[in-house]
């Protein structure tokens, strides 16, 4: 009996999903936001550990508070003590075999536009620096890095 009662529910759900797909037109996925032209193609890093090592070489001892690694890349959150402030760096390194430059650019654009993040970027990696006022200091420590200010739509 239970099966008979669930069939109309499943059919209704199927019809709703189908009508949403058919009624939505041919919009498809949104186009990617390309990597900003001022972001250099290198250096590329294999993991967040390489970015953290580059920060250390540039004078910033970054204490890792969170780390994640998988086949698509790696990310970490680390803190730096700088000018009597704790600067939080959320680092993302994306696999170049999995993600194109425009896909990485699209991720950066989302953070800059939707969340008003100040980003330090180069190659296949980017860092959300908080507070953003210290992004230029972090960029100076990283070879080739540039600062991307938040995007504010008018």
């Amino acid at each position: 009996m239970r099966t008979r009662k669930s069939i109309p529910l499943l059919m209704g759900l199927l019809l709703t999903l189908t009508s949403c797909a058919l009624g939505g037109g041919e919009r498809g996925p949104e186009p990617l936001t390309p990597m900003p032209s001022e972001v250099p193609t290198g250096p590329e890093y294999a993991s967040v550990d390489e970015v953290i090592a580059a920060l250390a070489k540039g004078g910033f001892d970054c204490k890792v508070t969170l780390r994640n690694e998988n086949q698509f890349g790696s990310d970490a959150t680390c803190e730096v003590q700088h000018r009597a402030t704790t600067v939080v760096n959320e680092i993302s390194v994306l696999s170049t075999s999995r993600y194109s430059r425009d896909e990485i650019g699209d991720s950066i654009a989302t953070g800059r536009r939707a969340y008003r993040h100040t980003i330090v970027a180069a190659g296949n990696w980017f860092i959300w620096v908080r507070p953003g006022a210290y992004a230029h200091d972090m960029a100076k420590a990283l070879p080739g890095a540039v600062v991307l200010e938040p995007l504010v739509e008018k």
Side-chain angles (χ1 to χ4, degrees), residues 2-94:
R2 185 175 211 172
T3 305
R4 288 184 185 170
K5 289 181 181 179
S6 61
I7 290 175
L9 177 65
L10 290 172
M11 291 301 291
L13 180 61
L14 181 61
L15 287 172
T16 301
L17 292 174
T18 304
S19 67
C20 288
L22 294 175
E26 294 185 30
R27 293 190 316 227
E30 293 290 322
L32 295 174
T33 302
M35 180 73 81
S37 60
E38 65 267 30
V39 176
T41 57
E44 289 185 349
Y45 294 117
S47 71
V48 293
D49 293 327
E50 291 181 9
V51 178
I52 292 167
L55 278 168
K57 190 174 181 179
F60 292 105
D61 183 28
C62 208
K63 178 184 172 193
V64 176
T65 58
L66 180 68
R67 177 188 312 271
N68 179 36
E69 294 186 40
N70 58 52
Q71 73 240 26
F72 305 118
S74 57
D75 55 76
T77 300
C78 69
E79 297 176 352
V80 169
Q81 295 303 313
H82 181 56
R83 298 186 191 172
T85 302
T86 299
V87 179
V88 178
N89 295 294
E90 291 192 19
I91 306 166
S92 295
V93 177
L94 300 167

Side-chain angles (χ1 to χ4, degrees), residues 36 38-39 87-92 107-122 125-140 142 145-152:
E38 65 267 30
V39 176
V87 179
V88 178
N89 295 294
E90 291 192 19
I91 306 166
S92 295
S107 293
I108 291 171
T110 299
R112 292 175 68 204
R113 186 180 314 108
Y115 305 108
R116 297 203 164 87
H117 293 170
T118 301
I119 304 288
V120 172
W125 57 272
F126 59 93
I127 305 172
W128 172 28
V129 180
R130 298 187 320 253
Y134 298 104
H136 291 279
D137 297 333
M138 298 300 114
K140 286 179 189 171
L142 296 162
V146 297
V147 175
L148 302 168
E149 300 294 338
L151 294 173
V152 180

